[in-house]
Amino acid sequence: KEYSRFIKVSVSDELNDIIIELLDKYPLRGFDAIHLASSLILKSEGTLDLKFACFDKQLNSCAEREELDVLFS
């Protein structure tokens, strides 16, 4: 039921390119890079009031440096 409300980001060359850029900039784990890259794609589309939510301080710091609106900093 809740799954239908999730926003899905397709695996694409754009997503992969952003992941690679983020891994070059930050010491991220794999799924953290996917989380951050997906958020950056959604932000660039500009159709959502996007809030980045995570309880990992390092990932939140990276998200803030990428100018995302982080809920738990």
Side-chain angles (χ1 to χ4, degrees), residues 8-68:
K8 299 159 196 81
V9 175
S10 297
V11 175
S12 65
D13 289 339
E14 178 187 19
L15 178 67
N16 289 332
D17 291 344
I18 294 170
I19 290 169
I20 291 167
E21 288 175 23
L22 291 171
L23 290 172
D24 285 341
K25 289 168 75 172
Y26 309 113
L28 294 170
R29 295 173 293 216
F31 283 110
D32 291 344
I34 293 168
H35 183 181
L36 184 53
S38 298
S39 299
L40 291 170
I41 286 175
L42 291 172
K43 178 185 174 188
S44 73
E45 292 174 355
T47 58
L48 299 172
D49 181 22
L50 183 74
K51 307 287 186 215
F52 188 85
C54 175
F55 291 104
D56 182 288
K57 289 183 181 186
Q58 179 182 355
L59 182 53
N60 281 338
S61 175
C62 296
E64 287 176 336
R65 289 168 39 197
E66 293 297 319
E67 300 181 3
L68 289 172

